[in-house]
Amino acid sequence: MKDLQLGTDIDRAARHLSAGELVAIPTETVYGLAANALDETSVARIFKAKNRPHFDPLIVHSHSFAALLPYLGEIPPAALKLAESYWPGPLTLLLPRNERIPDLVTAGLPRVAVRVPRHPLTLELLVKLPFPLAAPSANPFGYISPTRPRHVLDQLADRVSYVLDGGPCAVGLESTIIGFEPDGEPLIYRRGGLPTAALEATLGRSIPALETSTSQPQAPGTLHSHYAPRVPLLFGDPATLIARHHGKRLALLSFGATAHDLIKRAAGHISLSPRGDSIVAAARLFAALRELDRPDRFDLIIAEPLPEDGVLAAAVNDRLRRAAAHG
Ligand code: TXA
Ligand code: MG
């Protein structure tokens, strides 16, 4: 049966959003669950649909840096440079905001997360709208982010008016989030689709990462159990973990060439990139996790760490580590 909620009708998406409703939008990173960022009632619907706590703030999306300026305060020079270099693209900047951004969007924080996504359909939609879009990833709070329209419909069909079909997400990991110290020094708040090495090359200095804290969710994705599949996930050396959990129905999520005897001992197997490419692995990660998240077929998912030298390896490993953190 044809899904009437899914399509490429930008005018329809714009109508729903203008009426205060929720629309899932494609971006190069993951699908977002979007609403009018300037309307508190619309934004409240996002929190309700995702079952997301109100202390976890949202990213505001627009079609250009210039279009975001009316909502922002003073911008650190490093932020300007990054915005000019990487937007549209998988980068989110935490910048001082003014009172035009509702408190609900930032959880009352003085900074707002902003980004210009790189997807033609969504850029076209944003150009049409007289307001920016607040959009978290379009998954129930704590679950794996969606990288296909089907992922959104599987879980949120009854809560979105429309899903704008932009195909599979090219990058597959959420945006890299950069904040700035009071002296203007950049800090990595979340590793993501834009490699740290690229940002460091642009700024000509190394960028430290904010310590991930489980008690103080002041920062993105620092809540411990994020991206968690229903099937418990173990992150570590596959040979060791497979030997330790002998007799269980194991799903193996590997990277690179995987030894045949390991594959044989698993009830299911996906290699994120048989060639060992971390960019390919990132693009496939969330779809693969969803495919293996089958409690009817598997007791455990065993996920192999990527060697840290791949450009997106640290970001992929970060997601797998969080997927493994239970409770
Ligand atoms: O790639 C992405 O960033 C996707 C697409 C849809 O743009 N969005 C996304 O949103 O990943 P979400 O809500 O799943 O993750 C955004 C993270 C949250 O963990 C939130 O805590 C953090 O950004 N965040 C948002 N505003 C913030 C702020 N003012 N200060 C600190 N962290 C903030
Ligand atoms: Mg999310």
Side-chain angles (χ1 to χ4, degrees), residues 25 27 29-33 50 52 55-59 61 90 92 94 105-106 109 111-113 115 117 135-139 145 173-177 189-190 217-222 226-227:
I25 54 166
T27 82
T29 60
V30 301
Y31 274 74
L33 185 63
K50 277 189 63 115
R52 179 178 175 119
F55 60 73
D56 197 1
L58 307 177
I59 298 174
H61 301 68
T92 292
L94 300 176
V105 171
T106 66
L109 296 168
R111 291 187 300 180
V112 60
R115 118 174 168 90
S137 52
N139 51 279
S145 296
L173 287 182
E174 300 87 347
S175 57
T176 300
I177 303 184
Y189 277 67
R190 175 176 75 184
Q218 58 156 330
T222 54
H226 238 74
Y227 312 100

mmCIF file of all heavy atoms in Angstrom, residues 25 27 29-33 50 52 55-59 61 90 92 94 105-106 109 111-113 115 117 135-139 145 173-177 189-190 217-222 226-227, ligand 1:
data_model
loop_
_atom_site.group_PDB
_atom_site.id
_atom_site.type_symbol
_atom_site.label_atom_id
_atom_site.label_comp_id
_atom_site.label_asym_id
_atom_site.label_seq_id
_atom_site.Cartn_x
_atom_site.Cartn_y
_atom_site.Cartn_z
ATOM 1 N N ILE A 25 12.212 15.600 8.531
ATOM 2 C CA ILE A 25 12.978 16.160 7.406
ATOM 3 C C ILE A 25 14.298 15.412 7.217
ATOM 4 O O ILE A 25 14.950 15.022 8.184
ATOM 5 C CB ILE A 25 13.280 17.666 7.629
ATOM 6 C CG1 ILE A 25 13.979 17.895 8.978
ATOM 7 C CG2 ILE A 25 11.995 18.490 7.537
ATOM 8 C CD1 ILE A 25 14.604 19.277 9.126
ATOM 9 N N THR A 27 18.210 15.105 6.449
ATOM 10 C CA THR A 27 19.439 15.910 6.418
ATOM 11 C C THR A 27 20.556 14.957 6.020
ATOM 12 O O THR A 27 20.330 13.750 5.896
ATOM 13 C CB THR A 27 19.782 16.579 7.775
ATOM 14 O OG1 THR A 27 20.446 15.639 8.612
ATOM 15 C CG2 THR A 27 18.547 17.138 8.476
ATOM 16 N N THR A 29 22.917 14.128 7.855
ATOM 17 C CA THR A 29 23.358 13.351 9.025
ATOM 18 C C THR A 29 22.328 12.279 9.377
ATOM 19 O O THR A 29 22.573 11.088 9.177
ATOM 20 C CB THR A 29 23.582 14.278 10.229
ATOM 21 O OG1 THR A 29 22.360 14.961 10.546
ATOM 22 C CG2 THR A 29 24.684 15.292 9.933
ATOM 23 N N VAL A 30 21.176 12.714 9.904
ATOM 24 C CA VAL A 30 20.084 11.804 10.259
ATOM 25 C C VAL A 30 18.779 12.547 9.964
ATOM 26 O O VAL A 30 18.796 13.746 9.705
ATOM 27 C CB VAL A 30 20.146 11.390 11.762
ATOM 28 C CG1 VAL A 30 21.464 10.698 12.092
ATOM 29 C CG2 VAL A 30 19.931 12.587 12.688
ATOM 30 N N TYR A 31 17.661 11.836 10.016
ATOM 31 C CA TYR A 31 16.370 12.522 9.862
ATOM 32 C C TYR A 31 16.049 13.314 11.133
ATOM 33 O O TYR A 31 16.321 12.859 12.241
ATOM 34 C CB TYR A 31 15.247 11.517 9.559
ATOM 35 C CG TYR A 31 15.144 11.209 8.079
ATOM 36 C CD1 TYR A 31 16.093 10.400 7.465
ATOM 37 C CD2 TYR A 31 14.145 11.777 7.290
ATOM 38 C CE1 TYR A 31 16.033 10.159 6.098
ATOM 39 C CE2 TYR A 31 14.076 11.535 5.923
ATOM 40 C CZ TYR A 31 15.024 10.729 5.329
ATOM 41 O OH TYR A 31 14.971 10.505 3.979
ATOM 42 N N GLY A 32 15.472 14.495 10.939
ATOM 43 C CA GLY A 32 15.087 15.328 12.069
ATOM 44 C C GLY A 32 13.573 15.373 12.213
ATOM 45 O O GLY A 32 12.832 15.205 11.241
ATOM 46 N N LEU A 33 13.117 15.586 13.450
ATOM 47 C CA LEU A 33 11.684 15.750 13.727
ATOM 48 C C LEU A 33 11.452 17.248 13.927
ATOM 49 O O LEU A 33 11.754 17.794 14.976
ATOM 50 C CB LEU A 33 11.310 14.966 14.983
ATOM 51 C CG LEU A 33 9.831 14.929 15.349
ATOM 52 C CD1 LEU A 33 9.016 14.231 14.270
ATOM 53 C CD2 LEU A 33 9.638 14.224 16.685
ATOM 54 N N LYS A 50 8.658 12.642 21.040
ATOM 55 C CA LYS A 50 9.876 11.861 21.282
ATOM 56 C C LYS A 50 9.961 11.323 22.689
ATOM 57 O O LYS A 50 10.858 10.545 23.010
ATOM 58 C CB LYS A 50 11.116 12.761 21.074
ATOM 59 C CG LYS A 50 11.565 12.913 19.668
ATOM 60 C CD LYS A 50 12.914 13.641 19.640
ATOM 61 C CE LYS A 50 14.017 12.880 20.319
ATOM 62 N NZ LYS A 50 15.098 12.451 19.439
ATOM 63 N N ARG A 52 10.839 13.183 25.117
ATOM 64 C CA ARG A 52 12.154 13.734 25.462
ATOM 65 C C ARG A 52 12.035 14.685 26.648
ATOM 66 O O ARG A 52 11.130 15.513 26.687
ATOM 67 C CB ARG A 52 12.674 14.499 24.241
ATOM 68 C CG ARG A 52 14.033 15.178 24.398
ATOM 69 C CD ARG A 52 14.360 15.835 23.067
ATOM 70 N NE ARG A 52 15.554 16.621 23.053
ATOM 71 C CZ ARG A 52 16.606 16.362 22.254
ATOM 72 N NH1 ARG A 52 16.590 15.315 21.469
ATOM 73 N NH2 ARG A 52 17.639 17.153 22.267
ATOM 74 N N PHE A 55 14.754 19.191 29.694
ATOM 75 C CA PHE A 55 16.072 19.767 29.964
ATOM 76 C C PHE A 55 17.057 19.500 28.815
ATOM 77 O O PHE A 55 18.181 19.965 28.836
ATOM 78 C CB PHE A 55 16.657 19.266 31.300
ATOM 79 C CG PHE A 55 16.847 17.772 31.374
ATOM 80 C CD1 PHE A 55 17.864 17.136 30.679
ATOM 81 C CD2 PHE A 55 16.008 16.987 32.165
ATOM 82 C CE1 PHE A 55 18.050 15.764 30.757
ATOM 83 C CE2 PHE A 55 16.175 15.616 32.250
ATOM 84 C CZ PHE A 55 17.205 15.013 31.538
ATOM 85 N N ASP A 56 16.630 18.750 27.800
ATOM 86 C CA ASP A 56 17.522 18.420 26.680
ATOM 87 C C ASP A 56 17.202 19.327 25.480
ATOM 88 O O ASP A 56 16.215 19.112 24.782
ATOM 89 C CB ASP A 56 17.336 16.936 26.321
ATOM 90 C CG ASP A 56 18.481 16.408 25.476
ATOM 91 O OD1 ASP A 56 19.419 17.175 25.187
ATOM 92 O OD2 ASP A 56 18.427 15.225 25.097
ATOM 93 N N PRO A 57 18.036 20.337 25.233
ATOM 94 C CA PRO A 57 17.694 21.362 24.230
ATOM 95 C C PRO A 57 17.788 20.880 22.779
ATOM 96 O O PRO A 57 18.371 19.836 22.495
ATOM 97 C CB PRO A 57 18.733 22.460 24.492
ATOM 98 C CG PRO A 57 19.878 21.764 25.156
ATOM 99 C CD PRO A 57 19.307 20.609 25.903
ATOM 100 N N LEU A 58 17.217 21.671 21.869
ATOM 101 C CA LEU A 58 17.105 21.294 20.456
ATOM 102 C C LEU A 58 18.028 22.129 19.562
ATOM 103 O O LEU A 58 18.414 23.248 19.919
ATOM 104 C CB LEU A 58 15.667 21.503 19.976
ATOM 105 C CG LEU A 58 14.566 20.835 20.798
ATOM 106 C CD1 LEU A 58 13.195 21.202 20.218
ATOM 107 C CD2 LEU A 58 14.746 19.318 20.825
ATOM 108 N N ILE A 59 18.316 21.601 18.376
ATOM 109 C CA ILE A 59 19.095 22.335 17.379
ATOM 110 C C ILE A 59 18.138 23.105 16.470
ATOM 111 O O ILE A 59 17.107 22.573 16.047
ATOM 112 C CB ILE A 59 19.953 21.368 16.533
ATOM 113 C CG1 ILE A 59 20.958 20.622 17.426
ATOM 114 C CG2 ILE A 59 20.694 22.127 15.423
ATOM 115 C CD1 ILE A 59 21.753 19.537 16.706
ATOM 116 N N HIS A 61 17.553 24.855 12.860
ATOM 117 C CA HIS A 61 18.065 24.701 11.495
ATOM 118 C C HIS A 61 17.569 25.826 10.595
ATOM 119 O O HIS A 61 16.389 26.186 10.642
ATOM 120 C CB HIS A 61 17.586 23.376 10.888
ATOM 121 C CG HIS A 61 18.007 22.153 11.652
ATOM 122 N ND1 HIS A 61 17.518 21.854 12.901
ATOM 123 C CD2 HIS A 61 18.861 21.152 11.337
ATOM 124 C CE1 HIS A 61 18.063 20.717 13.327
ATOM 125 N NE2 HIS A 61 18.879 20.267 12.397
ATOM 126 N N PRO A 90 27.601 19.009 8.194
ATOM 127 C CA PRO A 90 27.293 18.317 9.452
ATOM 128 C C PRO A 90 27.967 18.934 10.682
ATOM 129 O O PRO A 90 28.684 18.267 11.422
ATOM 130 C CB PRO A 90 27.797 16.892 9.195
ATOM 131 C CG PRO A 90 28.863 17.045 8.165
ATOM 132 C CD PRO A 90 28.507 18.240 7.332
ATOM 133 N N THR A 92 27.248 21.664 14.019
ATOM 134 C CA THR A 92 26.350 22.482 14.841
ATOM 135 C C THR A 92 27.199 23.368 15.732
ATOM 136 O O THR A 92 28.195 22.911 16.303
ATOM 137 C CB THR A 92 25.434 21.576 15.697
ATOM 138 O OG1 THR A 92 24.534 20.894 14.816
ATOM 139 C CG2 THR A 92 24.631 22.376 16.700
ATOM 140 N N LEU A 94 27.234 26.097 19.014
ATOM 141 C CA LEU A 94 26.513 26.628 20.174
ATOM 142 C C LEU A 94 26.857 28.110 20.275
ATOM 143 O O LEU A 94 28.005 28.469 20.553
ATOM 144 C CB LEU A 94 26.937 25.902 21.449
ATOM 145 C CG LEU A 94 26.694 24.386 21.483
ATOM 146 C CD1 LEU A 94 27.245 23.769 22.766
ATOM 147 C CD2 LEU A 94 25.202 24.094 21.364
ATOM 148 N N VAL A 105 13.254 25.807 23.530
ATOM 149 C CA VAL A 105 14.197 25.299 22.528
ATOM 150 C C VAL A 105 15.573 25.046 23.151
ATOM 151 O O VAL A 105 16.224 24.045 22.862
ATOM 152 C CB VAL A 105 14.326 26.295 21.348
ATOM 153 C CG1 VAL A 105 15.465 25.901 20.413
ATOM 154 C CG2 VAL A 105 13.015 26.368 20.574
ATOM 155 N N THR A 106 16.005 25.955 24.026
ATOM 156 C CA THR A 106 17.357 25.844 24.596
ATOM 157 C C THR A 106 17.345 25.325 26.023
ATOM 158 O O THR A 106 18.378 25.357 26.696
ATOM 159 C CB THR A 106 18.071 27.211 24.601
ATOM 160 O OG1 THR A 106 17.377 28.072 25.514
ATOM 161 C CG2 THR A 106 18.091 27.842 23.230
ATOM 162 N N LEU A 109 18.850 27.690 28.439
ATOM 163 C CA LEU A 109 20.279 28.033 28.370
ATOM 164 C C LEU A 109 20.488 29.306 27.547
ATOM 165 O O LEU A 109 19.688 29.620 26.670
ATOM 166 C CB LEU A 109 21.073 26.875 27.732
ATOM 167 C CG LEU A 109 21.086 25.556 28.521
ATOM 168 C CD1 LEU A 109 21.653 24.424 27.662
ATOM 169 C CD2 LEU A 109 21.886 25.725 29.803
ATOM 170 N N ARG A 111 22.695 29.815 25.360
ATOM 171 C CA ARG A 111 23.176 29.542 23.999
ATOM 172 C C ARG A 111 22.195 28.654 23.252
ATOM 173 O O ARG A 111 21.545 27.801 23.843
ATOM 174 C CB ARG A 111 24.535 28.851 24.043
ATOM 175 C CG ARG A 111 25.631 29.778 24.537
ATOM 176 C CD ARG A 111 26.975 29.127 24.412
ATOM 177 N NE ARG A 111 27.042 27.889 25.189
ATOM 178 C CZ ARG A 111 28.123 27.124 25.246
ATOM 179 N NH1 ARG A 111 29.206 27.457 24.565
ATOM 180 N NH2 ARG A 111 28.116 26.031 25.952
ATOM 181 N N VAL A 112 22.142 28.872 21.954
ATOM 182 C CA VAL A 112 21.295 28.024 21.115
ATOM 183 C C VAL A 112 22.198 27.240 20.153
ATOM 184 O O VAL A 112 23.208 27.758 19.673
ATOM 185 C CB VAL A 112 20.256 28.861 20.335
ATOM 186 C CG1 VAL A 112 20.907 29.883 19.416
ATOM 187 C CG2 VAL A 112 19.307 27.956 19.529
ATOM 188 N N ALA A 113 21.832 25.983 19.916
ATOM 189 C CA ALA A 113 22.542 25.158 18.942
ATOM 190 C C ALA A 113 21.968 25.468 17.560
ATOM 191 O O ALA A 113 20.744 25.421 17.382
ATOM 192 C CB ALA A 113 22.363 23.688 19.283
ATOM 193 N N ARG A 115 22.399 25.114 13.081
ATOM 194 C CA ARG A 115 23.107 24.473 11.979
ATOM 195 C C ARG A 115 22.374 24.665 10.663
ATOM 196 O O ARG A 115 21.156 24.855 10.634
ATOM 197 C CB ARG A 115 23.338 23.004 12.337
ATOM 198 C CG ARG A 115 22.735 21.933 11.489
ATOM 199 C CD ARG A 115 23.254 20.580 11.975
ATOM 200 N NE ARG A 115 22.494 19.475 11.389
ATOM 201 C CZ ARG A 115 22.825 18.878 10.233
ATOM 202 N NH1 ARG A 115 23.869 19.265 9.551
ATOM 203 N NH2 ARG A 115 22.082 17.882 9.768
ATOM 204 N N PRO A 117 21.766 22.489 7.480
ATOM 205 C CA PRO A 117 21.938 21.113 7.008
ATOM 206 C C PRO A 117 22.185 21.071 5.492
ATOM 207 O O PRO A 117 21.768 21.977 4.765
ATOM 208 C CB PRO A 117 20.606 20.462 7.360
ATOM 209 C CG PRO A 117 19.619 21.572 7.365
ATOM 210 C CD PRO A 117 20.354 22.823 7.760
ATOM 211 N N ALA A 135 14.758 20.941 15.384
ATOM 212 C CA ALA A 135 14.656 19.521 15.041
ATOM 213 C C ALA A 135 15.706 18.679 15.754
ATOM 214 O O ALA A 135 16.894 18.845 15.507
ATOM 215 C CB ALA A 135 14.783 19.314 13.531
ATOM 216 N N PRO A 136 15.256 17.783 16.623
ATOM 217 C CA PRO A 136 16.147 16.738 17.132
ATOM 218 C C PRO A 136 16.111 15.571 16.159
ATOM 219 O O PRO A 136 15.341 15.597 15.192
ATOM 220 C CB PRO A 136 15.492 16.357 18.456
ATOM 221 C CG PRO A 136 14.025 16.541 18.196
ATOM 222 C CD PRO A 136 13.898 17.667 17.173
ATOM 223 N N SER A 137 16.928 14.566 16.390
ATOM 224 C CA SER A 137 16.835 13.361 15.571
ATOM 225 C C SER A 137 15.435 12.758 15.752
ATOM 226 O O SER A 137 14.862 12.823 16.839
ATOM 227 C CB SER A 137 17.919 12.369 15.976
ATOM 228 O OG SER A 137 17.900 12.148 17.367
ATOM 229 N N ALA A 138 14.899 12.176 14.666
ATOM 230 C CA ALA A 138 13.502 11.728 14.666
ATOM 231 C C ALA A 138 13.354 10.297 15.178
ATOM 232 O O ALA A 138 12.872 9.408 14.470
ATOM 233 C CB ALA A 138 12.916 11.865 13.263
ATOM 234 N N ASN A 139 13.791 10.085 16.414
ATOM 235 C CA ASN A 139 13.665 8.782 17.066
ATOM 236 C C ASN A 139 13.089 8.995 18.460
ATOM 237 O O ASN A 139 13.239 10.074 19.021
ATOM 238 C CB ASN A 139 15.047 8.130 17.206
ATOM 239 C CG ASN A 139 16.064 9.072 17.840
ATOM 240 O OD1 ASN A 139 16.622 9.938 17.159
ATOM 241 N ND2 ASN A 139 16.278 8.937 19.133
ATOM 242 N N SER A 145 19.244 6.737 16.205
ATOM 243 C CA SER A 145 18.806 7.787 15.281
ATOM 244 C C SER A 145 18.411 7.196 13.926
ATOM 245 O O SER A 145 18.963 6.184 13.495
ATOM 246 C CB SER A 145 19.937 8.803 15.074
ATOM 247 O OG SER A 145 20.226 9.469 16.274
ATOM 248 N N LEU A 173 25.826 9.935 10.662
ATOM 249 C CA LEU A 173 26.049 10.243 12.083
ATOM 250 C C LEU A 173 25.565 11.658 12.320
ATOM 251 O O LEU A 173 25.676 12.506 11.437
ATOM 252 C CB LEU A 173 27.544 10.243 12.411
ATOM 253 C CG LEU A 173 28.296 8.941 12.490
ATOM 254 C CD1 LEU A 173 29.745 9.235 12.884
ATOM 255 C CD2 LEU A 173 27.668 7.991 13.491
ATOM 256 N N GLU A 174 25.086 11.969 13.510
ATOM 257 C CA GLU A 174 24.657 13.321 13.822
ATOM 258 C C GLU A 174 25.817 14.307 13.656
ATOM 259 O O GLU A 174 26.987 13.925 13.682
ATOM 260 C CB GLU A 174 24.128 13.416 15.260
ATOM 261 C CG GLU A 174 22.950 12.528 15.558
ATOM 262 C CD GLU A 174 23.373 11.149 15.994
ATOM 263 O OE1 GLU A 174 24.563 10.799 15.828
ATOM 264 O OE2 GLU A 174 22.513 10.418 16.502
ATOM 265 N N SER A 175 25.437 15.584 13.572
ATOM 266 C CA SER A 175 26.436 16.634 13.363
ATOM 267 C C SER A 175 27.432 16.698 14.524
ATOM 268 O O SER A 175 27.126 16.328 15.654
ATOM 269 C CB SER A 175 25.721 17.980 13.245
ATOM 270 O OG SER A 175 24.943 18.229 14.401
ATOM 271 N N THR A 176 28.615 17.168 14.204
ATOM 272 C CA THR A 176 29.621 17.488 15.224
ATOM 273 C C THR A 176 29.178 18.788 15.901
ATOM 274 O O THR A 176 28.802 19.744 15.220
ATOM 275 C CB THR A 176 30.992 17.698 14.550
ATOM 276 O OG1 THR A 176 31.340 16.479 13.881
ATOM 277 C CG2 THR A 176 32.068 18.057 15.568
ATOM 278 N N ILE A 177 29.190 18.815 17.231
ATOM 279 C CA ILE A 177 28.762 20.032 17.950
ATOM 280 C C ILE A 177 29.966 20.721 18.580
ATOM 281 O O ILE A 177 30.739 20.097 19.317
ATOM 282 C CB ILE A 177 27.716 19.708 19.034
ATOM 283 C CG1 ILE A 177 26.499 19.008 18.407
ATOM 284 C CG2 ILE A 177 27.290 20.996 19.755
ATOM 285 C CD1 ILE A 177 25.364 18.719 19.383
ATOM 286 N N TYR A 189 31.696 19.398 21.786
ATOM 287 C CA TYR A 189 30.636 18.924 22.687
ATOM 288 C C TYR A 189 30.127 17.555 22.274
ATOM 289 O O TYR A 189 29.634 16.798 23.086
ATOM 290 C CB TYR A 189 29.468 19.915 22.702
ATOM 291 C CG TYR A 189 29.690 21.070 23.640
ATOM 292 C CD1 TYR A 189 30.683 22.012 23.398
ATOM 293 C CD2 TYR A 189 28.915 21.211 24.786
ATOM 294 C CE1 TYR A 189 30.888 23.065 24.265
ATOM 295 C CE2 TYR A 189 29.117 22.270 25.663
ATOM 296 C CZ TYR A 189 30.096 23.189 25.393
ATOM 297 O OH TYR A 189 30.297 24.229 26.258
ATOM 298 N N ARG A 190 30.169 17.282 20.964
ATOM 299 C CA ARG A 190 29.770 15.963 20.484
ATOM 300 C C ARG A 190 30.564 15.675 19.228
ATOM 301 O O ARG A 190 30.580 16.486 18.305
ATOM 302 C CB ARG A 190 28.266 15.926 20.179
ATOM 303 C CG ARG A 190 27.804 14.592 19.547
ATOM 304 C CD ARG A 190 26.299 14.519 19.340
ATOM 305 N NE ARG A 190 25.858 15.339 18.215
ATOM 306 C CZ ARG A 190 24.580 15.517 17.876
ATOM 307 N NH1 ARG A 190 23.614 14.930 18.575
ATOM 308 N NH2 ARG A 190 24.257 16.274 16.844
ATOM 309 N N PRO A 217 23.868 16.579 32.255
ATOM 310 C CA PRO A 217 23.588 16.569 30.824
ATOM 311 C C PRO A 217 23.511 17.987 30.259
ATOM 312 O O PRO A 217 22.576 18.354 29.598
ATOM 313 C CB PRO A 217 22.246 15.842 30.739
ATOM 314 C CG PRO A 217 21.594 16.097 32.056
ATOM 315 C CD PRO A 217 22.675 16.343 33.056
ATOM 316 N N GLN A 218 24.562 18.784 30.532
ATOM 317 C CA GLN A 218 24.606 20.129 29.979
ATOM 318 C C GLN A 218 24.948 20.023 28.506
ATOM 319 O O GLN A 218 24.772 20.956 27.752
ATOM 320 C CB GLN A 218 25.674 20.958 30.692
ATOM 321 C CG GLN A 218 27.055 20.316 30.591
ATOM 322 C CD GLN A 218 28.178 21.327 30.755
ATOM 323 O OE1 GLN A 218 28.017 22.472 30.419
ATOM 324 N NE2 GLN A 218 29.309 20.894 31.267
ATOM 325 N N ALA A 219 25.453 18.877 28.102
ATOM 326 C CA ALA A 219 25.970 18.742 26.754
ATOM 327 C C ALA A 219 25.258 17.641 26.015
ATOM 328 O O ALA A 219 24.690 16.736 26.604
ATOM 329 C CB ALA A 219 27.444 18.427 26.826
ATOM 330 N N PRO A 220 25.309 17.776 24.689
ATOM 331 C CA PRO A 220 24.733 16.843 23.743
ATOM 332 C C PRO A 220 25.042 15.390 24.027
ATOM 333 O O PRO A 220 26.174 15.054 24.279
ATOM 334 C CB PRO A 220 25.441 17.210 22.452
ATOM 335 C CG PRO A 220 26.545 18.128 22.820
ATOM 336 C CD PRO A 220 26.139 18.770 24.091
ATOM 337 N N GLY A 221 24.046 14.577 23.917
ATOM 338 C CA GLY A 221 24.306 13.145 23.935
ATOM 339 C C GLY A 221 25.136 12.658 25.096
ATOM 340 O O GLY A 221 25.690 11.574 25.046
ATOM 341 N N THR A 222 25.275 13.455 26.152
ATOM 342 C CA THR A 222 26.093 12.976 27.263
ATOM 343 C C THR A 222 25.255 12.166 28.241
ATOM 344 O O THR A 222 25.771 11.663 29.214
ATOM 345 C CB THR A 222 26.763 14.130 28.023
ATOM 346 O OG1 THR A 222 25.762 15.036 28.418
ATOM 347 C CG2 THR A 222 27.790 14.824 27.167
ATOM 348 N N HIS A 226 22.332 6.323 25.481
ATOM 349 C CA HIS A 226 21.859 6.936 24.259
ATOM 350 C C HIS A 226 22.023 5.910 23.155
ATOM 351 O O HIS A 226 22.891 5.072 23.240
ATOM 352 C CB HIS A 226 22.732 8.149 23.949
ATOM 353 C CG HIS A 226 21.942 9.408 23.853
ATOM 354 N ND1 HIS A 226 21.430 10.033 24.957
ATOM 355 C CD2 HIS A 226 21.566 10.149 22.792
ATOM 356 C CE1 HIS A 226 20.790 11.118 24.569
ATOM 357 N NE2 HIS A 226 20.853 11.217 23.261
ATOM 358 N N TYR A 227 21.226 5.997 22.124
ATOM 359 C CA TYR A 227 21.401 5.118 20.968
ATOM 360 C C TYR A 227 21.245 3.654 21.340
ATOM 361 O O TYR A 227 21.761 2.781 20.670
ATOM 362 C CB TYR A 227 22.787 5.317 20.327
ATOM 363 C CG TYR A 227 23.140 6.752 20.111
ATOM 364 C CD1 TYR A 227 23.979 7.434 20.985
ATOM 365 C CD2 TYR A 227 22.619 7.436 19.016
ATOM 366 C CE1 TYR A 227 24.294 8.767 20.774
ATOM 367 C CE2 TYR A 227 22.931 8.759 18.804
ATOM 368 C CZ TYR A 227 23.767 9.416 19.686
ATOM 369 O OH TYR A 227 24.072 10.725 19.479
HETATM 370 O O1 TXA B 1 22.812 16.011 12.923
HETATM 371 C C1 TXA B 1 22.143 16.481 13.823
HETATM 372 O O2 TXA B 1 22.621 17.241 14.663
HETATM 373 C C2 TXA B 1 20.656 16.075 13.886
HETATM 374 C C3 TXA B 1 19.963 16.633 12.661
HETATM 375 C C4 TXA B 1 18.483 16.380 12.681
HETATM 376 O O3 TXA B 1 20.248 17.999 12.536
HETATM 377 N N1 TXA B 1 20.065 16.534 15.087
HETATM 378 C C5 TXA B 1 20.351 16.006 16.319
HETATM 379 O O4 TXA B 1 19.584 16.546 17.336
HETATM 380 O O5 TXA B 1 21.179 15.149 16.496
HETATM 381 P P1 TXA B 1 19.479 15.865 18.772
HETATM 382 O O6 TXA B 1 18.467 16.680 19.489
HETATM 383 O O7 TXA B 1 19.216 14.428 18.643
HETATM 384 O O8 TXA B 1 20.888 16.140 19.400
HETATM 385 C C6 TXA B 1 21.273 17.463 19.653
HETATM 386 C C7 TXA B 1 22.110 17.540 20.866
HETATM 387 C C8 TXA B 1 21.345 17.150 22.120
HETATM 388 O O9 TXA B 1 22.023 16.096 22.759
HETATM 389 C C9 TXA B 1 21.351 18.409 22.979
HETATM 390 O O10 TXA B 1 21.616 18.098 24.325
HETATM 391 C C10 TXA B 1 22.454 19.256 22.373
HETATM 392 O O11 TXA B 1 22.500 18.912 21.030
HETATM 393 N N2 TXA B 1 22.167 20.690 22.492
HETATM 394 C C11 TXA B 1 21.210 21.376 21.854
HETATM 395 N N3 TXA B 1 21.199 22.654 22.241
HETATM 396 C C12 TXA B 1 22.189 22.792 23.157
HETATM 397 C C13 TXA B 1 22.659 23.879 23.943
HETATM 398 N N4 TXA B 1 22.096 25.084 23.870
HETATM 399 N N5 TXA B 1 23.703 23.655 24.770
HETATM 400 C C14 TXA B 1 24.266 22.428 24.867
HETATM 401 N N6 TXA B 1 23.840 21.351 24.154
HETATM 402 C C15 TXA B 1 22.818 21.520 23.319
#
